[in-house]
Amino acid sequence: MMKFDAAHGLLKEEIGTYQEQVSRIHRMIHEKTGPGGDFLGWVDWAETVDREEVSRMKALAEQWKGKFDVLVVCGIGGSYLGARAAIEMIRGLYPEDGPEVIFAGNTFSSTYMAQVLKHLEGKSVLLNVISKSGTTTETALAFRMLRQFMEDTYGAEEAGKRIFATTDKARGTLKALADEVGYATFVIPDDIGGRYSVITSVGLLPMALMGIDPDEVLRGYTDASRDLNTDDLAANDAYRYAVSRRILEKQGYDAEMFVSYEPQLGMLAEWWKQLLGESEGKDGKGILPDSAVFSTDLHSLGQFVQEGRKMLFETILTVDKVPQDVIVPEDAENRDGMNYLAGKPMSWVNRMAFEGTLEAHEKTGGVPNLLISVPDLSAYSFGYLSHWFFIATAMTCYMLDINPFNQPGVEVYKKNMFRLLGKPEK
Ligand code: PA5
C-alpha cells in the first residue's frame, strides 16, 4: 500500500537501532498508557466506529443527492482541515460534476465572510457546522451569520432540515442549540481529538455529502490499522518515518518540508502541518512543519531548499497512479520548441521533474529527502494514509517525550483576544 523510503534521507544512524524504544512506545500506544492516553480512540477506531451513524450519514447524503448546489462546512483546525484535505485529494480542485463545497468558520476575516454570504445567494445551500467544544469563536460567529442567512432564505423549518451539527454527544452550546432547533446531529467521540478526527463524522459527513463513500475511507483506515499494528521496525513504514524524523532532528535539521507534485494535495499538506505541528510543538521542542507543492514552488522556495541555510529536510509524497493524464500535443511548426515532449504523458514529465529535483536537492544541495508513496488518490488511500500519519505522529512525539494529544499553547491567544473583546466571565 503506502511505502516509505529513507534511502535519500542522508541518515547518519541506522533506523533499526531504535527498535527497543519503538517497541516500548508501541505497547504504550496500544495499551493507552502514555501521556494523553485518553485520546487514543483512533487506534481501535476500525472496530469501535459507530456503523449505525455511518449509515445515517450515507442516508442523509442520498436524501440530498442532486438537490443542492453548495455545501458550506463551518469549522476550524481539526474540525476543518481533514474534511477539506480529503475532499480536495479525492475529487480534485475542479471536479467535473457534483455540488460545490466551501469552508467557513475558520477565519475572522470580514471580507471572507461577506463574500461567502454573497456567493450563497440564489443557490441551494446545505450547512454542516462542526465543533467539538461547541464554543470556538471563529466557528460560532460564522455559524450565527450563516444560520441567519439560512433562516432568512428558507424559513426556520426548512433551514432546520438543511443544517447538520457535528459536535459532542451530550455537552456544549452547539449540542444544546441543535437539540432545541432540531438539527440532525452527528457525534465527535470523547476520546478522539480534533486533528485525529477526520475519520469520524467530522470528516466523513462532509465527504459523504460530496459523494465520497465513507465506507471506502474506513476500509483503508482499517487495513492500515491492521498493517501497522506491529512494533517491528522492518515491517512498519510509519514507524520508520517517525524514527527518521528524530534522527534528522539530532543531525540538526529544525524544519521539515512536506512536498507533493499534485496541487490537489495542497490541503493535505495543511492537514499534515496541523497534525505534526500541534502534536509536537510544545515544551520548547519539535520540528517546524512546512509545505510546498512542486514544481510550482520550485520557482519560489526551491532556491532556498537548494542553496539556503541547511536547516530543513524534505518529505516527499508521490502518487503511483495519478487520476488523470493528458498527452502533450504535436505542433507542426514547433514555434514554442516543445515538440521534444510531443506524445509524452504530462504525468511522465511531472515524474521526471520529481526525479531531477530529488537528485538536485539531495546530491547537489545536500538536503535529506524522505520518500512516501501512495498508490492513488482514492477514498481508500485517504483512509489508509490518515492512520499511517496518526500512528507515525504518536510514535515520533512519544520518542520526544511529548504528549501528542493536547494543545495547551493554543489557549494563550484566545485569553488575550477574549480580554480585548470584553467576553463576559462565566
Ligand atoms: O486539533 C484540535 O483539537 C484543534 O485544532 C480543534 O480542532 C480546533 O480548535 C476546533 O475546535 P472545536 O472542534 O472544539 O471547535
Side-chain angles (χ1 to χ4, degrees), residues 1 216-217 219-221 223-224 226 378-385:
M1 215 356 249
E216 273 300 285
V217 178
R219 194 167 68 82
Y221 193 83
D223 285 356
R226 182 203 56 223
S378 62
Y380 175 90
S381 290
F382 180 81
Y384 198 101
L385 78 75

Side-chain angles (χ1 to χ4, degrees), residues 76-79 131-134 136 194-195 274 278 407:
I76 194 167
S79 293
S131 178
K132 187 172 183 181
S133 62
T136 302
R195 57 194 174 276
Q274 189 207 3
E278 223 177 29
Q407 53 284 327

Side-chain angles (χ1 to χ4, degrees), residues 281-297:
K282 51 197 78 151
D283 302 345
K285 300 183 191 172
I287 296 169
L288 173 72
D290 187 17
S291 70
V293 176
F294 289 171
S295 68
T296 315
D297 293 326

Side-chain angles (χ1 to χ4, degrees), residues 7 52 130 143 182 194 236 241 246 300 344 361 363 385 417:
E52 195 269 327
I130 308 175
F143 182 52
N236 191 323
Y241 165 60
R246 294 278 73 94
S300 61
K344 294 273 196 278
H361 288 183
K363 299 262 165 25
L385 78 75
M417 181 181 75

Side-chain angles (χ1 to χ4, degrees), residues 20-43 229 231 239 391 393-405:
E20 210 180 296
Q21 187 184 13
V22 164
S23 295
R24 183 176 52 75
I25 296 173
H26 176 80
R27 278 196 302 280
M28 204 167 89
I29 293 172
H30 285 268
E31 289 163 10
K32 304 187 181 176
T33 49
D38 290 348
F39 288 91
L40 276 159
W42 54 268
V43 170
N229 188 5
D231 66 338
Y239 286 170
I391 201 88
T393 302
M395 176 56 68
T396 207
C397 290
Y398 278 142
M399 286 182 76
L400 204 57
D401 282 330
I402 292 284
N403 175 350
F405 308 115

Side-chain angles (χ1 to χ4, degrees), residues 319-334:
V319 184
D320 297 339
K321 189 174 182 312
V322 289
Q324 285 174 294
D325 215 339
V326 284
I327 304 295
V328 180
E330 180 85 35
D331 182 298
E333 294 175 43
N334 195 23

Side-chain angles (χ1 to χ4, degrees), residues 223-273:
D223 285 356
S225 314
R226 182 203 56 223
D227 294 351
L228 300 169
N229 188 5
T230 169
D231 66 338
D232 180 1
L233 265 171
N236 191 323
D237 273 355
Y239 286 170
R240 293 172 64 77
Y241 165 60
V243 172
S244 301
R245 297 179 79 252
R246 294 278 73 94
I247 295 176
L248 287 169
E249 185 184 47
K250 277 210 246 164
Q251 287 175 214
Y253 295 100
D254 294 330
E256 174 178 14
M257 186 180 272
F258 182 92
V259 175
S260 78
Y261 281 74
E262 297 294 335
Q264 72 199 66
L265 295 178
M267 280 310 298
L268 187 80
E270 297 303 314
W271 170 80
W272 171 90
K273 280 198 280 203

